[in-house]
Amino acid sequence: MKRLFWLGVGVVAGVALSRKAAETARQATPAGLASNLGEAVRELAGAVGSFGAEVRAGMSEREQELHDMVEERSGVTPPSAVGRHAAARRPVRRARRAEG
């Protein structure tokens, strides 16, 4: 009975090691390396995107704090950030030259 148990343990260990070796060999191929690199780039892009979103949220929060502070200390309501940014994005119209 002991021999049958150890035979079963050996078979299970052999199958597990064989699968692990096959997976490791697949990852060492150019296709496997490209797959790993693609996943890493996607993960990095997601991290950079979330960092940017957090920075923008922090900037907006700080800008609001500064607006509140200016209003509290001076009693003057500062122009809204939306108005300033919208004016900056407005296209500049150029005068046409008179042909002549």
Side-chain angles (χ1 to χ4, degrees):
M1 198 61 157
K2 278 170 102 176
R3 288 183 183 174
L4 188 58
F5 171 76
W6 288 112
L7 178 66
V9 169
V11 169
V12 168
V15 168
L17 287 174
S18 174
R19 288 186 179 200
K20 183 67 173 173
E23 177 63 23
T24 303
R26 187 198 67 75
Q27 288 180 353
T29 64
L33 292 174
S35 173
N36 289 342
L37 181 62
E39 290 174 14
V41 168
R42 279 189 291 277
E43 185 177 330
L44 178 63
V48 167
S50 66
F51 174 74
E54 289 179 18
V55 168
R56 284 188 298 278
M59 286 172 40
S60 295
E61 183 179 327
R62 180 64 178 150
E63 185 176 15
Q64 186 60 45
E65 289 173 4
L66 293 172
H67 281 264
D68 294 344
M69 188 183 310
V70 167
E71 186 175 349
E72 178 183 309
R73 289 185 180 178
S74 67
V76 175
T77 304
S80 69
V82 175
R84 280 185 308 194
H85 295 302
R89 279 184 267 165
R90 206 175 299 141
V92 177
R93 295 193 176 188
R94 298 175 192 227
R96 288 184 158 181
R97 284 196 228 174
E99 294 182 26

